[in-house]
């Protein structure tokens, strides 16, 4: 289902947010690959497949930004304490939620949808009784850096990560947001 570029209507008047539905996971997987694939993102086919199996099983969760029922943004996050081990030098607290993916349709970029999705997860995190959220990005991904900064995330550090980062500095930056 192709998505055409929309007029720059204010975000609050057209975009709604809701949990991902099981019957749309195949579509969302295609959406993630089509809209999330770029030089900065690490989206291995097998890893994404496992991520969507976890969504289908209810282990992980996802929120979708929709414009008139059409998905235009996606955020995927895990359960408290389920953080990849490669972040352990930066995360000592196990009472955190890892946000694995944030993707916005290119026709909707620059309108605050990614930040709004992160803010929705921040709101939910207060109900999950966790101490923080954790997310990562390529060190040089300026679009992700801005989105994460606007949502209140701060960098914990960066590390050389050539298996996941093939361009630029090849570094991953780990960020966190304390939950009130």
């Amino acid at each position: 289902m192709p998505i055409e570029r929309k007029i720059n209507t204010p975000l609050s008047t057209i975009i709604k947010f809701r949990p991902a539905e099981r019957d749309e996971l195949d579509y969302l997987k295609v959406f993630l690959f089509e809209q999330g694939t770029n030089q900065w993102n690490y989206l291995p086919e097998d890893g994404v497949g496992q991520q969507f199996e976890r969504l289908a099983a209810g282990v992980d969760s996802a929120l979708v930004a929709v414009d008139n029922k059409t998905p235009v943004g996606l955020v995927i996050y895990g359960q408290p304490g389920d953080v990849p081990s490669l972040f352990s030098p930066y995360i000592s607290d196990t009472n955190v939620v890892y946000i694995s993916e944030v993707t916005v349709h290119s026709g909707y970029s620059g309108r605050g949808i990614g930040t709004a999705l992160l803010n929705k997860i921040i709101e939910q995190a207060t109900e999950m009784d966790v101490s923080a959220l954790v997310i990562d990005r390529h060190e040089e991904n300026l679009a992700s850096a801005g989105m994460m900064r606007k949502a209140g995330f701060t960098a914990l550090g960066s590390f050389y990560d050539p298996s996941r980062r093939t361009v630029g500095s090849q570094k991953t930056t780990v960020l966190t947001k304390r939950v009130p």
Side-chain angles (χ1 to χ4, degrees):
M1 144 183 358
I3 302 172
E4 297 177 15
R5 182 175 270 288
K6 298 292 181 178
I7 298 171
N8 251 349
T9 309
L11 174 67
S12 61
T13 61
I14 61 168
I15 305 300
K16 305 296 181 210
F17 301 91
R18 62 165 174 73
E21 298 167 0
R22 283 210 169 98
D23 64 352
E24 72 180 338
L25 291 180
D26 288 339
Y27 175 81
L28 293 174
K29 185 176 178 181
V30 171
F31 176 87
L32 177 62
F33 279 122
E34 287 180 353
Q35 300 302 318
T37 300
N38 63 48
Q39 67 178 347
W40 306 116
N41 291 343
Y42 178 69
L43 294 173
E45 194 169 326
D46 61 334
V48 172
Q50 291 171 6
Q51 178 76 76
F52 276 82
E53 287 173 13
R54 291 172 59 95
L55 286 170
V59 176
D60 289 346
S61 301
L63 284 180
V64 181
V66 293
D67 179 3
N68 196 25
K69 299 184 181 180
T70 301
V72 297
L74 171 68
V75 62
I76 301 172
Y77 57 100
Q79 299 301 312
D82 191 8
V83 179
S85 60
L86 74 146
F87 301 143
S88 60
Y90 303 94
I91 308 297
S92 59
D93 187 352
T94 59
N95 192 29
V96 300
V97 168
Y98 174 60
I99 300 170
S100 59
E101 302 296 339
V102 182
T103 301
V104 175
H105 187 280
S106 61
Y108 288 76
S109 64
R111 296 182 46 208
I113 295 170
T115 301
L117 282 164
L118 288 175
N119 285 330
K120 294 289 183 186
I121 301 302
I122 292 165
E123 289 172 18
Q124 288 185 5
T126 59
E127 297 168 14
M128 289 185 236
D129 195 32
V130 296
S131 59
L133 299 169
V134 176
I135 195 167
D136 68 291
R137 62 173 173 78
H138 188 293
E139 178 185 56
E140 297 174 89
N141 185 339
L142 298 180
S144 287
M147 171 189 65
M148 293 171 189
R149 183 183 64 256
K150 289 175 189 171
F153 284 83
T154 57
L156 296 172
S158 299
F159 62 95
Y160 184 60
D161 193 5
S163 64
R164 295 174 61 227
R165 311 296 181 189
T166 59
V167 299
S169 68
Q170 295 183 294
K171 290 185 177 181
T172 291
T173 297
V174 180
L175 303 97
T176 190
K177 164 75 178 168
R178 301 298 301 168
V179 176

